[in-house]
Amino acid sequence: MDFLKNLFIMVWFISLIAFIVYWRKKANARKAAGENYSTDENYNAVSKMKRMIGIVCLASFVLGAAIPESPEAKAEREAKEQLQRIEQVAKSEQKAAEKVAKEAQKAEEKAAKEAAEQAKEQEKAAAEANKYVEADIDILINDIQNNAAAANKNYKGKFVKIVGGILDHVESDGDYISISNGDMTLVHVQCFPKNKEVKKQMLNLSNGQNVTVYGKITRVGGIIGYSLDMDKIE
């Protein structure tokens, strides 16, 4: 039974191709014969052959479809279909696993990037905190009064955290503040804000208030004292 079914299927396939070929031949023969194509021998011969091939094609299709599969062929076909389904499921599971792995990799990369950025920020904060050398204002004023040249060499260009300062004056335009140690002396530290945030902090200050300032000493003078580019006020 399987042999006959396969035979009819093969005949149907071959006759289908032949039918298509003769369909084209018939069209060409009609075109070549002109208006009197119905009496043309070549056209009639091609048309007859096309009909015969069509009958064979249709009959082989019907017979091939009518013959049932043998149990063996059916089992083989179902086994192939089952195998195809298993392969499709395996492919779907593989794609899902690859997607999960890719997402996990992205999450790990993101976490590693965030950890690196956090570590970088921590290092930056630590470096920022460590760059300021603590300096007592009494020592600063005493050093400049004893030897302004030595004080200039020791402090100019240095980042300092000045502790123990007392606010003497806040300039009306907010361009600077002056701090000292509270003694009756002209020597003081003139602090110029580096940004708007520091300038806003200056609005909350009061004369006589104890302050701690951070910044870079830019000038050392024997009479007036120190100039500081101020980064922060506490």
Side-chain angles (χ1 to χ4, degrees):
M1 298 293 287
D2 290 338
F3 173 76
L4 287 176
K5 187 176 183 68
N6 293 333
L7 178 62
F8 283 127
I9 290 174
M10 183 176 65
V11 171
W12 167 79
F13 182 73
I14 295 172
S15 60
L16 178 63
I17 295 174
F19 183 78
I20 294 171
V21 171
Y22 269 84
W23 192 316
R24 184 63 179 170
K25 283 186 175 183
K26 181 181 177 181
N28 291 334
R30 178 173 179 174
K31 185 177 180 181
E35 295 181 357
N36 298 321
Y37 66 89
S38 60
T39 58
D40 184 76
E41 292 183 3
N42 182 50
Y43 172 80
N44 290 328
V46 172
S47 180
K48 183 179 180 181
M49 181 60 72
K50 174 178 168 286
R51 283 194 300 271
M52 291 177 62
I53 293 173
I55 293 170
V56 172
C57 181
L58 181 60
S60 60
F61 177 79
V62 172
L63 292 172
I67 297 175
E69 286 183 304
S70 66
E72 294 80 6
K74 184 177 180 181
E76 183 179 356
R77 178 177 57 79
E78 290 177 348
K80 288 181 180 179
E81 292 174 353
Q82 181 67 18
L83 181 60
Q84 289 176 350
R85 286 194 291 269
I86 292 172
E87 290 176 350
Q88 289 176 353
V89 171
K91 287 181 181 179
S92 299
E93 291 178 348
Q94 183 179 0
K95 287 182 179 179
E98 289 175 354
K99 184 178 180 181
V100 171
K102 189 177 290 185
E103 290 176 352
Q105 183 179 359
K106 286 183 179 179
E108 289 178 1
E109 291 175 353
K110 183 179 179 181
K113 184 178 179 181
E114 290 176 351
E117 290 176 353
Q118 186 176 4
K120 189 175 180 180
E121 289 296 326
Q122 290 174 349
E123 290 177 2
K124 183 178 178 181
E128 186 74 15
N130 292 331
K131 80 175 183 178
Y132 297 102
V133 177
E134 186 169 310
D136 188 280
I137 195 165
D138 288 326
I139 297 175
L140 288 173
I141 291 175
N142 184 67
D143 286 351
I144 201 171
Q145 288 175 335
N146 288 337
N147 190 328
N152 182 68
K153 182 179 179 181
N154 291 334
Y155 297 113
K156 186 175 181 179
K158 299 292 179 63
F159 287 88
V160 293
K161 172 186 176 182
I162 301 177
V163 298
I166 298 175
L167 182 65
D168 286 338
H169 175 68
V170 179
E171 199 271 333
S172 60
D173 291 330
D175 291 336
Y176 66 88
I177 62 173
S178 296
I179 62 172
S180 67
N181 61 355
D183 293 343
M184 299 297 294
T185 176
L186 293 176
V187 178
H188 60 272
V189 181
Q190 200 170 30
C191 307
F192 298 87
K194 287 187 66 176
N195 53 56
K196 292 181 180 179
E197 293 300 320
V198 179
K199 207 164 187 178
K200 285 181 181 179
Q201 288 181 289
M202 291 167 51
L203 298 176
N204 299 319
L205 301 178
S206 300
N207 288 336
Q209 176 182 343
N210 289 320
V211 293
T212 298
V213 297
Y214 296 75
K216 179 181 178 182
I217 294 177
T218 58
R219 184 178 66 85
V220 181
I223 298 177
I224 301 300
Y226 300 88
S227 291
L228 179 83
D229 281 347
M230 184 167 53
D231 298 324
K232 184 169 64 172
I233 309 171
E234 292 181 348

